[in-house]
Amino acid sequence: MASQSRSRLPNPILHPFLFIYQLMQWLIDKILSPKPPNPNTRLTRPKVAVIGGGITGVTSAAHCIGHGFDVTIFEAGTEDNIGGIWTKVNNTSGLQIHSLMYRFHPSVSWSEGYPNRQQIVSQVRQLWKRYGLDARTKFNTKVDKVYQDDRGRWLIDDPSNGHFDGVIAAIGTCGAPKLPTMPAMDAFNGQIYHSSDLTGKTAQNKRVIIIGGGASAVEALEFASAQNATKITILARSDKWIIPRNALWDMLLALNIFGQETLLSWIPELLLRKLFYRDLEELAPPAGKGIFTETPMVNSDVMTKLRSGAAEWLRCDIEKFTADGVMVNKRARGVQPGGTGEKMLVKGDVVIMATGYERPALSFLPASCNEKPYAAPNWYLQTFPPKHPSISCINCTYMSAIGTVGNWHIGIYTRILLMFLVDPLTRPRPFWMERWIDMTRLLKAASPVGPFEFFTYLELIWWFAFCVAINPFRWKWALFVFFGIGSVLPMHVVEAENKMRNGLCAGEDESADVGIGF
């Protein structure tokens, strides 16, 4: 199913940069997109269960089926939920990072730099249909239990859903909207909305109070501004870095291979304070809270609104609601939440709770996945539980990062799992998966946060490169893992290796969930 954005290239004279971008996307699609199978094709490779029908679930399932692996998607909602969190946000929502950094599958084609919610959901659903995943999705199926039968095959809730060789958990990090209870909320005479529930609401000629200082707050700010609110006040409990809406700058920050604060981290932080914050430097996090500690907000327009007086940003604690606003404790820069400050009343007619979403739990996985000290996110490559190399939890274990949701890492994680499923000698033993985790902990011992609680995109690529390089039996899979190219030749080699494998692994369990390689 072709979209308008895929139908024609823009005029290279009138829109040279967009023409180059569209041409690049076309080439990536032709070179790297696995071919969707014919509906009558018999898929003979291992079966994979994908839990979740959001961007990651649909993308990883497309990679699986494109490479000949049978796949079933288990989605807790209806077909309207294909697209994940993007189906739950407002119509005014859009991408904050450049679409160049959000190409979640090689075949995705954006017509502009910052697509809106409808365009994003449209691309996900076109991908879902293009690879025939609409016929392989079970809706209204909330997975409660993933367990193994006596042959090591995975079962989803019960045997009636089939047997699987591998499992991809793609439930994301955003579940139900988080709407905390605050003192005297019932006393407020105006309307209170969650930031995900603004479609159809109005803020015209009203004073809007936004509670929260993260990405949801920026979304609420854009809504209130578009509605011509008379006054917008953001109440942020903690300081959070804001970086420019600039693809080059964002990619440069993602090239910190150490994935943590270093002796040179003061350079980008100083540049941000002096060149981006400028006269608003007081709003920047204080010294000691580096940019490589949590996911920053990506937005330039918020600074414009603050400078023009269209919005106000207060660092404060919420004391209580009143009939005509919110009583807060305004704190100075560097004063920790709960510290001393100035009591003041912020008056408003509408309160938007930009308080984020509940984090979905991976409690449906076997208890052996979360045995300390190797509990999520302290897993092999952050997504593989050490005792189960046939499980990959993509994009649902991370805490914070600077990177992209590009076709690279969703595809690479998926293809690493596929490599483990079809080639026993590439499958890591629990001992070595745990040693990789220990090594990463040692390398990031000086990190101000946990070793797997923050990473950059270049660090992620380093993890992948090390994973392939450390085991000679994985070398033949390098082109397949990194680019999705050349699965035929490695499979022929695997067939030859099978002849000697009994000698190497005599007595070993042949289940795809048992590591027998280096």
Side-chain angles (χ1 to χ4, degrees):
M1 177 178 177
S3 68
Q4 291 182 355
S5 62
R6 297 169 62 86
S7 61
R8 57 190 299 180
L9 290 173
N11 188 305
I13 298 176
L14 298 178
H15 305 283
F17 295 109
L18 184 57
F19 173 80
I20 294 172
Y21 183 32
Q22 293 285 59
L23 183 61
M24 180 198 75
Q25 294 185 108
W26 180 83
L27 288 172
I28 290 175
D29 180 19
K30 295 301 180 185
I31 297 172
L32 299 181
S33 290
K35 186 178 179 181
N38 186 291
N40 298 320
T41 301
R42 183 170 176 267
L43 301 173
T44 57
R45 293 184 179 180
K47 297 179 65 177
V48 179
V50 176
I51 303 172
I55 284 180
T56 302
V58 170
T59 300
S60 58
H63 281 294
C64 288
I65 199 166
H67 293 299
F69 290 75
D70 200 354
V71 66
T72 301
I73 298 177
F74 294 89
E75 167 54 44
T78 65
E79 184 173 337
D80 291 339
N81 294 101
I82 293 296
I85 187 61
W86 283 107
T87 66
K88 302 175 183 178
V89 297
N90 308 294
N91 288 335
T92 56
S93 302
L95 205 56
Q96 295 297 320
I97 62 175
H98 195 278
S99 60
L100 179 67
M101 304 173 72
Y102 209 71
R103 300 196 67 262
F104 45 84
H105 188 270
S107 65
V108 168
S109 181
W110 301 115
S111 59
E112 56 187 89
Y114 299 93
N116 59 30
R117 169 192 175 274
Q118 292 92 330
Q119 292 169 314
I120 295 168
V121 172
S122 174
Q123 286 288 327
V124 179
R125 291 182 176 170
Q126 287 176 46
L127 177 66
W128 179 63
K129 290 185 178 180
R130 191 159 57 245
Y131 280 83
L133 298 171
D134 48 344
R136 298 175 178 274
T137 303
K138 293 190 176 185
F139 293 108
N140 300 309
T141 307
K142 183 181 181 299
V143 174
D144 295 314
K145 184 179 181 181
V146 172
Y147 62 102
Q148 291 175 294
D149 64 11
D150 55 3
R151 294 173 54 187
R153 298 174 301 178
W154 291 108
L155 302 175
I156 309 299
D157 286 337
D158 60 68
S160 67
N161 286 317
H163 297 76
F164 300 91
D165 302 283
V167 176
I168 294 176
I171 59 174
T173 58
C174 297
K178 186 189 299 182
L179 193 62
T181 300
M182 297 183 177
M185 289 181 74
D186 293 342
F188 182 58
N189 289 331
Q191 292 81 37
I192 300 176
Y193 306 119
H194 188 267
S195 58
S196 64
D197 187 31
L198 299 177
T199 297
K201 307 299 190 297
T202 180
Q204 187 171 8
N205 299 324
K206 294 185 178 182
R207 298 166 298 178
V208 176
I209 299 173
I210 300 171
I211 296 179
S216 296
V218 172
E219 181 177 305
L221 172 62
E222 292 178 340
F223 162 82
S225 179
Q227 286 275 316
N228 295 316
T230 56
K231 184 179 180 182
I232 307 170
T233 307
I234 300 173
L235 309 181
R237 186 169 186 268
S238 58
D239 296 306
K240 192 176 183 71
W241 280 101
I242 305 174
I243 61 178
R245 204 183 194 195
N246 181 291
L248 178 60
W249 174 264
D250 299 343
M251 284 189 284
L252 287 174
L253 288 176
L255 292 180
N256 175 356
I257 194 171
F258 302 103
Q260 64 185 51
E261 288 289 299
T262 69
L263 292 175
L264 299 178
S265 294
W266 64 271
I267 297 176
E269 291 163 11
L270 178 65
L271 291 174
L272 280 172
R273 295 181 195 276
K274 300 303 180 183
L275 301 180
F276 182 60
Y277 281 87
R278 302 196 304 275
D279 54 313
L280 299 174
E281 188 177 343
E282 196 273 340
L283 297 180
K289 184 171 183 179
I291 192 171
F292 298 104
T293 57
E294 65 175 337
T295 305
M297 288 187 290
V298 184
N299 194 283
S300 302
D301 190 47
V302 62
M303 297 301 193
T304 302
K305 288 181 171 61
L306 293 173
R307 288 191 177 96
S308 68
E312 181 183 17
W313 191 293
L314 297 181
R315 180 189 296 109
C316 63
D317 300 304
I318 306 298
E319 296 282 325
K320 64 178 182 178
F321 278 66
T322 68
D324 55 355
V326 180
M327 184 68 70
V328 303
N329 176 45
K330 181 182 177 183
R331 292 180 279 106
R333 184 183 183 192
V335 177
Q336 295 297 314
T340 58
E342 173 191 354
K343 308 292 183 183
M344 62 180 295
L345 175 64
V346 180
K347 293 186 177 182
D349 307 299
V350 175
V351 171
I352 299 176
M353 304 291 286
T355 45
Y357 301 84
E358 300 287 349
R359 190 181 184 97
L362 289 166
S363 55
F364 53 80
L365 294 179
S368 54
C369 290
N370 273 310
E371 294 179 354
K372 294 182 178 180
Y374 303 105
N378 301 294
W379 286 350
Y380 183 65
L381 304 181
Q382 203 192 48
T383 65
F384 293 90
K387 293 187 177 180
H388 299 288
S390 61
I391 293 178
S392 184
C393 300
I394 307 174
N395 284 345
C396 56
T397 58
Y398 72 86
M399 308 300 290
S400 294
I402 295 181
T404 83
V405 187
N407 54 291
W408 289 100
H409 85 259
I410 297 178
I412 290 175
Y413 269 132
T414 302
R415 291 189 293 269
I416 288 175
L417 173 68
L418 301 183
M419 173 180 69
F420 289 167
L421 295 182
V422 298
D423 190 348
L425 295 179
T426 66
R427 218 173 287 147
R429 294 178 184 271
F431 175 84
W432 290 113
M433 296 172 84
E434 292 173 356
R435 298 296 75 76
W436 180 88
I437 296 168
D438 294 339
M439 177 191 72
T440 305
R441 283 173 167 156
L442 181 62
L443 292 175
K444 300 184 72 172
S447 175
V449 296
F452 296 96
E453 292 179 14
F454 181 92
F455 63 89
T456 61
Y457 208 65
L458 191 58
E459 182 185 17
L460 196 64
I461 298 302
W462 147 246
W463 292 354
F464 295 148
F466 183 86
C467 169
V468 172
I470 196 64
N471 183 339
F473 289 105
R474 297 176 190 161
W475 294 353
K476 61 183 177 294
W477 291 101
L479 282 177
F480 174 74
V481 166
F482 287 105
F483 304 104
I485 297 173
S487 64
V488 176
L489 179 61
M491 283 303 298
H492 285 314
V493 177
V494 170
E495 291 169 3
E497 290 171 345
N498 284 341
K499 298 177 181 178
M500 66 175 184
R501 201 160 40 121
N502 289 336
L504 284 174
C505 310
E508 292 281 4
D509 186 347
E510 291 299 306
S511 164
D513 198 44
V514 177
I516 62 177
F518 286 153

